[in-house]
Amino acid sequence: MTTRLHWTLPLVLLVCASTTLAAATSQPSAEDVTFSPAEYLAHVRFLASDALAGRQPGTPGIEAAAAYIAAQFECFGLEPGGTDGTWFQEFTVTRGKQLVEAEAELEVDGLPTVPRVGVDWIPLPFSAMDSASGPVAFAGYGIKADEFGWNDYAEFDATGKILLILRFEPRADDDEADFGGARPSRFSEFRSKAATAARRGAKALLIVDPPGHARSSGNLFRFSDELSRQTFDIPVAHVSAALAEAILEKAGAEPLATLVERLEKEGKPLTRDLGLDVSLRPGVRPLTVATRNVIARLPAAHDTTETIVVGAHYDHLGNVPRQFERTSDAAFIHNGADDNASGTAAVLELARALARERDLRRNIVFVAFSAEEMGLHGSKHFVRQGGEEIAHVKAMINFDMVGRVGQERFTIFGIPSAPEFEPIVKAAADRVGLTYRAPRALSGNSDHAPFLYREIPYLFPFTGMHRQYHRPEDDTELIDAEGAARLLTMFHAIIRDLADLRDGPTFQRSTEKPSDEDTPPPPAFEQQQQQQQDNGQARAGGPPRDDTDPDVGQPQMPRVRLGIVPDYATDGEPGVVIQAVTEGGPAKAAGLKDEDRIVKIGDQPIKDIYGYMAALKNMRPGQTVPVTVVREGKELTIEVKLGEGSGGRSRE
Ligand SMILES: [Zn+2]
């Protein structure tokens, strides 16, 4: 990797030299500034090259991209806008969890050999990170489903114990049955089993596949980075049949096959202590990586705090398994030419052209955001770090996927966020002959979101969803550079107009409900939900994942509404931070505030967004629940009367 990246530096210098020539031929005072499709495409080609390996935060590829962007800004004659006079603003993100095998340990009293991680057992990626030890007990399927007359916990005190349980659920005679039928019920999910065990006071779970079960692959579960964003309340390990049999044998219990058969035939719990001690150290740690926004400043002609922010995320998914149509765990470089080398190249070319304007009334800040794909981390960090200065940001222009103008599904989001936008945008579009759709709802699914939540007017051009979205096939050949050049001429005019405005744009709320309230879009299921709700808005159309194990338990839409936009990105701390409280919603009425960290709903502790979703799922509209939040370091509990949500049971 390192050796392949050596050629990036000479390239950066070369591009810098060529821009001097381009600058000489352009006319800064001309009404329409034209852009070179070739120059635009050169940025895309570099950023989306295999050498950069998909620009995933925490990898050398994205660092090469950051260096390239900074070098370009410098070439254009802009000022560094990062920390301490640099081009960069560094921050850390937690990219799920990692398994450190050397730290993973499972010990069972009296077994002749120590079970080996990865062979005899593996922590689930959702496992809590703490260690646990205590007496082990067999607890059937670990299911308490009173409505179906099944309770493995009946009359058994699980407090302080480590439970060995079966994966999946007992089989019903009827394939159509709601419990035990062909379609797994929610009781078979890992999440449900872990939550039940934790509520019963159990310290950890060891899960084993029932021998010969149709849904068992016979292999240990895969510890995957993607699945590791969710964290259960207790440590959970998947153990091999051989290890489970060894434990049962040592305890003098019946073998697995007999236990499974008896459970299904007798239909009553066989839960019992096994008289052995187990200690489990999952060896799971947060995977925290450092990454950087790249920031440049173009100062106004006269000293002012008023600023226009022009941004695009430059990160993408990296060299990872396919998100869709996955048939193997093989990694593919996801070059992300449209998502979002196209937007990054747009910011670079606009920066180059605007750098020649020395008589603007307002400052322009150009930002290449990192870690958007992991949850808008870069833009959130930028807004949080901005402090007071963010109040002087007059407008934010966010370029995310602008490389397919030729598809003629060009959409500009955010026009209703200020009344001044429409005439400015329309005039600029007319001049270059581009037509666009202008949705009325404001939505927050890209880097403009943290600005929107601070009531900063925004524009978000987007040239449409396509079949290559978040796939390795999103590559440079499919970029419409001629179209992008026209779009740049249009936005150059818009940004220049906004930078010269005396007042405004003035933020106004849309009467349309934002589409992402209460329903977090973690990457794994973002597309599914957006597809159903957004009605053709940005990011709609991505097909659902088809590789999800049925017992992983995808969160479902709650039936109730709290009226907040949760920050679904994890910062490593337990709880869910409120990104924005919705005007007129239940949370607002109750007095919840932006940046409050929800740590408990009712008596359910909230560890992360998955726990938040699960807690709401069990609530009824009209019900009043105590919501415990941490605000400025202090815990307080607020009663909230829940509203009616949009979710149903359609997505189980
Ligand atoms: Zn994107």
Side-chain angles (χ1 to χ4, degrees):
M1 196 72 236
T2 339
T3 44
R4 287 177 69 194
L5 286 171
H6 275 314
W7 56 273
T8 62
L9 207 63
L11 184 83
V12 166
L13 296 175
L14 233 151
V15 173
C16 196
S18 80
T19 58
T20 326
L21 291 174
T25 57
S26 79
Q27 302 277 311
S29 56
E31 181 72 351
D32 287 331
V33 174
T34 53
F35 287 82
S36 150
E39 299 275 10
Y40 174 82
L41 204 58
H43 299 308
V44 174
R45 186 165 289 128
F46 175 74
L47 294 166
S49 62
D50 284 354
L52 268 57
R55 310 183 305 281
Q56 185 185 31
T59 65
I62 195 169
E63 290 309 307
Y68 174 84
I69 294 162
Q72 294 293 321
F73 284 153
E74 190 160 13
C75 285
F76 306 154
L78 297 169
E79 294 178 0
T83 314
D84 300 331
T86 70
W87 300 98
F88 306 106
Q89 182 181 49
E90 189 170 313
F91 58 97
T92 57
V93 283
T94 303
R95 212 172 75 194
K97 305 189 214 82
Q98 59 185 323
L99 168 59
V100 185
E101 295 203 356
E103 292 178 8
E105 202 172 61
L106 175 63
E107 272 185 90
V108 185
D109 247 14
L111 285 196
T113 56
V114 177
R116 294 153 297 170
V117 65
V119 179
D120 302 310
W121 71 283
I122 194 155
L124 289 185
F126 333 93
S127 175
M129 291 178 254
D130 340 67
S131 299
S133 58
V136 66
F138 175 74
Y141 285 89
I143 289 175
K144 181 179 185 300
D146 295 330
E147 55 269 59
F148 298 107
W150 190 280
N151 184 2
D152 288 305
Y153 289 89
E155 290 165 38
F156 184 78
D157 183 5
T159 312
K161 293 178 185 162
I162 293 182
L163 305 180
L164 171 64
I165 63 167
L166 297 160
R167 193 175 174 184
F168 312 122
E169 62 193 348
R171 267 168 281 199
D173 296 333
D174 177 9
D175 251 15
E176 300 292 301
D178 285 338
F179 181 66
R183 223 174 69 139
S185 79
R186 68 187 169 90
F187 297 103
S188 71
E189 294 171 3
F190 289 138
R191 154 167 284 285
S192 162
K193 294 189 181 195
T196 305
R199 261 198 304 277
R200 289 289 170 144
K203 280 180 153 175
L205 282 183
L206 307 178
I207 301 181
V208 62
D209 289 14
H213 194 284
R215 283 168 53 211
S216 167
S217 69
N219 298 324
L220 290 178
F221 202 82
R222 184 170 54 93
F223 191 95
S224 134
D225 194 21
E226 300 150 80
L227 293 172
S228 70
R229 292 186 185 100
Q230 181 172 189
T231 303
F232 295 166
D233 293 331
I234 53 174
V236 181
H238 190 209
V239 302
S240 69
L243 176 55
E245 298 286 15
I247 295 172
L248 291 168
E249 194 189 327
K250 184 79 205 164
E254 292 155 298
L256 276 178
T258 312
L259 290 167
V260 170
E261 202 185 305
R262 282 189 56 200
L263 276 168
E264 287 178 6
K265 215 179 279 167
E266 298 168 21
K268 59 173 197 235
L270 296 175
T271 303
R272 53 164 286 198
D273 288 311
L274 294 177
L276 299 172
D277 282 336
V278 164
S279 82
L280 169 65
R281 193 152 60 120
V284 172
R285 273 204 264 157
L287 175 55
T288 301
V289 298
T291 190
R292 315 187 269 180
N293 292 332
V294 191
I295 309 173
R297 264 184 98 252
L298 174 66
H302 303 286
D303 208 27
T304 176
T305 53
E306 295 187 359
T307 300
I308 306 294
V309 172
V310 177
H313 76 87
Y314 73 104
D315 65 298
H316 194 52
L317 305 174
N319 187 7
V320 293
R322 285 182 177 271
Q323 288 195 343
F324 308 120
E325 300 112 17
R326 181 184 296 176
T327 51
S328 79
D329 292 342
F332 294 85
I333 295 178
H334 288 62
N335 285 323
D338 189 32
D339 187 8
N340 187 29
S342 73
T344 310
V347 170
L348 288 176
E349 284 300 287
L350 286 167
R352 184 214 301 266
L354 286 159
R356 292 173 216 134
E357 311 266 345
R358 293 293 170 178
D359 56 350
L360 298 173
R361 289 196 64 250
R362 290 169 169 167
N363 310 304
I364 302 182
V365 168
F366 300 94
V367 197
F369 298 111
S370 184
E372 186 267 358
E373 302 285 8
M374 295 165 64
L376 318 183
H377 290 279
S379 49
K380 283 176 193 163
H381 183 79
F382 179 88
V383 167
R384 276 180 191 150
Q385 284 304 109
E388 299 279 281
E389 283 171 42
I390 293 299
H392 303 290
V393 174
K394 291 292 165 185
M396 196 273 172
I397 319 295
N398 176 34
F399 294 87
D400 193 355
M401 298 174 68
V402 291
R404 307 281 187 103
V405 179
Q407 286 193 334
E408 305 200 358
R409 286 182 51 214
F410 179 29
T411 305
I412 302 175
F413 295 97
I415 294 176
S417 66
E420 292 88 345
F421 277 147
E422 197 176 335
I424 292 175
V425 172
K426 189 166 185 319
D430 286 349
R431 290 224 298 272
V432 294
L434 279 175
T435 54
Y436 57 90
R437 302 186 307 138
R440 277 179 303 153
L442 306 182
S443 69
N445 44 14
S446 180
D447 288 315
H448 57 278
F451 296 86
L452 162 61
Y453 299 138
R454 296 291 285 268
E455 307 203 328
I456 295 165
Y458 73 98
L459 293 174
F460 168 24
F462 171 70
T463 56
M465 187 49 63
H466 44 74
R467 297 187 60 81
Q468 295 79 29
Y469 175 68
H470 280 200
R471 290 178 170 81
E473 291 78 18
D474 174 6
D475 233 323
T476 307
E477 310 82 78
L478 297 169
I479 295 297
D480 172 15
E482 311 276 337
R486 283 165 76 200
L487 182 144
L488 289 174
T489 296
M490 174 181 170
F491 274 87
H492 182 272
I494 292 171
I495 294 164
R496 203 166 49 179
D497 284 354
L498 292 173
D500 272 336
L501 278 184
R502 201 155 290 278
D503 291 302
T506 323
F507 182 78
Q508 67 182 8
R509 256 167 227 300
S510 169
T511 49
E512 307 277 315
K513 190 171 164 282
S515 60
D516 54 350
E517 184 199 82
D518 282 351
T519 56
F525 61 101
E526 158 178 26
Q527 292 90 25
Q528 260 172 317
Q529 295 200 338
Q530 297 275 330
Q531 186 176 23
Q532 292 179 0
Q533 295 164 57
D534 273 15
N535 220 353
Q537 284 195 17
R539 301 231 165 155
R545 286 169 69 98
D546 54 6
D547 57 307
T548 308
D549 195 282
D551 54 359
V552 166
Q554 292 288 10
Q556 297 154 24
M557 304 277 288
R559 274 169 295 166
V560 297
R561 170 170 176 258
L562 195 55
I564 64 156
V565 179
D567 185 348
Y568 61 81
T570 166
D571 60 1
E573 295 282 310
V576 168
V577 174
I578 299 177
Q579 192 165 193
V581 174
T582 308
E583 285 302 323
K588 180 88 188 179
L592 290 176
K593 291 190 175 162
D594 293 2
E595 303 284 323
D596 280 355
R597 179 185 293 274
I598 300 175
V599 292
K600 209 170 176 193
I601 297 179
D603 57 4
Q604 189 64 39
I606 307 298
K607 265 205 171 159
D608 55 22
I609 193 70
Y610 298 91
Y612 166 79
M613 294 287 281
L616 288 188
K617 212 168 67 183
N618 296 328
M619 308 276 169
R620 306 257 171 281
Q623 186 183 348
T624 299
V625 287
V627 176
T628 305
V629 299
V630 178
R631 182 183 296 168
E632 284 155 15
K634 283 199 202 88
E635 219 171 78
L636 65 154
T637 300
I638 293 172
E639 299 280 328
V640 182
K641 188 171 180 215
L642 298 169
E644 183 98 37
S646 57
R649 286 168 218 204
S650 54
R651 294 199 329 107
E652 279 173 65

